[in-house]
Amino acid sequence: LCSNLFSSVVEKHISEADIIFVSVNTPTKTHGLGAGKAAHLTYWESAACTIANVAKSDKIVVKKSTVPIKTAEAIEKILKHNSKGINFEILLNPEFLAEGTAINDLFNPDRVLLGGRETPEGQKAVQVLKDVYVHWVPVDRIITTNLWSAELSKLAANAFLAQRISSVNSMSALCEATSADVTEVAYAVGRDSRIGHRFLNASVGFGGSCFQKDILNLVYICECNGLPEVAHYWKQVIKANDYQKSRFVNWLVSSMFNTVSGKKIAVHGFAFKKDTGDTRETPAIDVCKGLLGDKAAITIYDHQVTEDQIQRDLAMNKFDWDHPINLQPMSPTAVKKQMTVTWDAYEATKGAHGVCILTEWDEFKVLDYKRIYDNMEKPAFVFDGRNIVDAEKLRKIGFIVYSIGKPLDARLKDMPAVA
C-alpha cells in the first residue's frame, strides 16, 4: 500500500524514505566558466548535501532532472564524503513528459529509462525502481542502461527533436523561394517509415524550457571533450532556429513597406505552444522584440499568459549570441510604452495593420476574420507563424497573407528578398 502525500517538511521525509526522487532546476549558467552553455548545478549540490545530512539509513537517490554527463559521479562524491557510513546508490530516471500531454505521458510512456552503476549494488537498486514502474508500465517499455548512457540519452532525445524542427524550418525558407509548399513536402517526407511524420510542422521556431538549454549543454560537453566539429553541428540547430525567428520578423517588416514604426501589430499567442501557459524561450519573445526594435506598437493576446509574465519576458536579458543582432533586449520602461496586453482576440486587432499568429491555439482557426478585417487598417496583413489558418479564405476576405513555407501571396512576390 502506498499513500500520496505532499509536504514541505523535506528533512523528515528524506529521513523516512527508501527512494528519493530529486527534480530540481538545472538552469544554464549566466556567468563564469561555461556561461551561456553549461548547466548550473547549485540546486543539485544543495539537494545532495541535504540528503547526506539528514539520512539515517541507506538510500536510493534518483535523478529526474536533465543533467550534464558525469553529474552522477559528482553527486556520488558529495554523498560519499558526507555519508557517515550510509550507502547511497545513484540512479538516473530522466523525465520525458511533454507539456500539454503530461498525464497521458506518465501513464502511457513510450519508454521509461533507468540508468545505474554496473555493480551488484547498482543493479539491485535499478531492479527496485523497475519494480515500482512495472505496476503500470509494460516491462518491454522499461529500458536499463549504465549511468552515462542514461544521462546522454535525454540530451540526445531533445537535440534530435529540435533538429527535426530546424530541418523542416530550413526547408520552409527554400519552399518560399521556389513556390513549393512546406506542408506538402513535410507530408511526403513523413510518409517514409524511416522518418515518420512527427515534429515536421514548420513554424516560427521552437521554444520551451528544454530544447535550447539541452542543446547548449550538449555543445558545451562536446567542446570540453575535444569534439569541436560535433559541437558546431549541434550549435547549428539553434542558429537555424534563431534564423527562422529573424526571417519571420524581416518578412513582416519588409511586407509592410519596410517599416512598422508607429504601426499597430496584433500578436495572437505568446506561449511557446498550445495547451500551456509556458513562455520560456517562446519564439514570441524574439519576434516581439524585433517588432519593438522597429518601433511598432504591439497588442498581445494569449488567454493563458498574464500581462505581468509578458512584460517580464520582454524585459529580460538573454545571452548575446542566443538571438539575432537586430533583436536586442529592451528596458521594462520602453516595453511598457510600446506594448499592451488584452484578454480579447478581437480587441487586439482593432486598428491594427497586421496580425501575427505565434501560438497554434485552436481558437485562432475559428475566429471571425471578416470581422477582424473590417476593423483593421488597410491594407491588412496576416502573418501566420504556425500555418493554422486557411490562407486562401483570408485572401478572399481581402487580407495579404504570409504563411511559413507556403507559396507567397502575389502581393508579396515583388518585395525585397529576405536574408
Side-chain angles (χ1 to χ4, degrees):
L1 259 186
C2 327
S3 61
N4 300 310
L5 177 67
F6 290 90
S7 174
S8 59
V9 187
V10 177
E11 291 81 0
K12 175 180 182 293
H13 294 291
I14 287 176
S15 178
E16 295 174 351
D18 298 309
I19 304 174
I20 302 167
F21 288 82
V22 183
S23 302
V24 295
N25 195 21
T26 53
T28 303
K29 292 180 71 174
T30 56
H31 58 275
L33 186 64
K37 289 176 283 190
H40 206 312
L41 299 179
T42 299
Y43 304 115
W44 243 109
E45 183 177 355
S46 175
C49 289
T50 300
I51 292 169
N53 288 336
V54 304
K56 296 182 176 62
S57 59
D58 294 353
K59 307 289 182 187
I60 297 173
V61 179
V62 185
K63 298 191 300 173
K64 294 295 290 182
S65 309
T66 303
V67 292
I69 300 171
K70 299 295 183 180
T71 301
E73 199 168 68
I75 300 305
E76 282 179 330
K77 289 177 181 177
I78 293 172
L79 293 172
K80 181 179 178 181
H81 287 292
N82 295 276
S83 66
K84 307 169 191 171
I86 294 170
N87 294 318
F88 295 98
E89 281 299 327
I90 307 296
L91 302 182
L92 196 75
N93 176 209
E95 193 58 77
F96 292 108
L97 305 183
E99 290 191 52
T101 59
I103 299 301
N104 184 63
D105 294 341
L106 176 64
F107 286 104
N108 301 286
D110 289 335
R111 78 290 202 198
V112 171
L113 182 58
L114 308 178
R117 285 284 193 184
E118 294 175 303
T119 62
E121 297 79 11
Q123 292 306 295
K124 182 180 178 182
V126 168
Q127 187 60 48
V128 169
L129 186 53
K130 186 174 182 179
D131 289 342
V132 173
Y133 276 108
V134 293
H135 283 86
W136 77 92
V137 180
V139 69
D140 61 351
R141 294 190 188 181
I142 302 176
I143 305 169
T144 59
T145 68
N146 66 37
L147 277 174
W148 325 131
S149 296
E151 286 180 328
L152 181 56
S153 293
K154 178 56 189 280
L155 294 180
N158 281 339
F160 275 51
L161 292 174
Q163 177 197 56
R164 287 173 67 91
I165 296 172
S166 284
S167 293
V168 75
N169 281 344
S170 71
M171 287 295 107
S172 74
L174 185 57
C175 285
E176 291 166 22
T178 60
S179 296
D181 186 324
V182 72
T183 303
E184 296 175 349
V185 172
Y187 178 77
V189 170
R191 287 300 299 267
D192 189 322
S193 60
R194 297 166 300 175
I195 298 173
H197 68 279
R198 300 189 68 184
F199 279 78
L200 288 182
N201 293 323
S203 69
V204 69
F206 62 73
S209 62
C210 297
F211 285 174
Q212 179 170 267
K213 185 181 80 168
D214 288 354
I215 294 175
L216 289 172
N217 193 219
L218 190 62
V219 167
Y220 183 66
I221 292 167
C222 291
E223 291 174 344
C224 290
N225 283 278
L227 301 169
E229 292 83 4
V230 181
H232 177 74
Y233 175 82
W234 288 110
K235 194 180 293 185
Q236 288 302 121
V237 173
I238 291 178
K239 286 188 175 181
N241 194 52
D242 287 340
Y243 168 69
Q244 187 76 342
K245 292 180 286 187
S246 179
R247 201 172 68 82
F248 186 83
V249 173
N250 289 345
W251 259 120
L252 192 154
V253 174
S254 65
S255 298
M256 299 181 73
F257 315 107
N258 217 34
T259 182
V260 291
S261 179
K263 295 177 181 176
K264 178 180 176 180
I265 307 296
V267 174
H268 277 179
F270 199 83
F272 85 92
K273 69 174 185 177
K274 72 173 185 177
D275 299 329
T276 177
D278 194 346
T279 62
R280 289 175 292 181
E281 298 298 341
T282 175
I285 293 174
D286 282 345
V287 171
C288 287
K289 283 183 176 180
L291 296 174
L292 292 169
D294 202 57
K295 306 302 181 184
I298 62 175
T299 301
I300 300 170
Y301 164 75
D302 191 308
H303 68 276
Q304 287 284 358
V305 185
T306 66
E307 180 174 359
D308 182 60
Q309 182 63 53
I310 291 171
Q311 288 182 351
R312 286 201 306 271
D313 287 332
L314 294 179
M316 69 174 60
N317 292 320
K318 291 179 64 177
F319 311 117
D320 289 339
W321 73 271
D322 192 33
H323 50 113
I325 295 174
N326 67 309
L327 305 179
Q328 299 296 325
M330 301 183 66
S331 70
T333 303
V335 168
K336 279 188 175 182
K337 287 181 179 178
Q338 291 178 248
M339 182 206 76
T340 56
V341 177
T342 179
W343 290 103
D344 187 304
Y346 295 103
E347 186 65 31
T349 63
K350 281 185 180 178
H353 293 76
V355 179
C356 292
I357 301 174
L358 301 181
T359 308
E360 69 280 24
W361 289 111
D362 291 335
E363 69 174 293
F364 298 150
K365 300 176 184 178
V366 296
L367 291 175
D368 183 346
Y369 281 95
K370 179 64 167 64
R371 173 184 170 187
I372 288 173
Y373 179 81
D374 289 342
N375 287 309
M376 289 177 64
E377 296 291 328
K378 309 298 185 297
F381 295 82
V382 170
F383 301 91
D384 186 0
R386 295 289 180 169
N387 285 342
I388 64 168
V389 298
D390 186 333
E392 286 308 312
K393 181 179 178 181
L394 266 58
R395 288 186 180 114
K396 288 178 181 177
I397 292 173
F399 285 104
I400 299 174
V401 183
Y402 167 75
S403 299
I404 292 279
K406 300 279 189 173
L408 293 177
D409 189 304
R411 289 166 290 187
L412 298 178
K413 288 183 178 179
D414 295 330
M415 295 295 176
V418 180

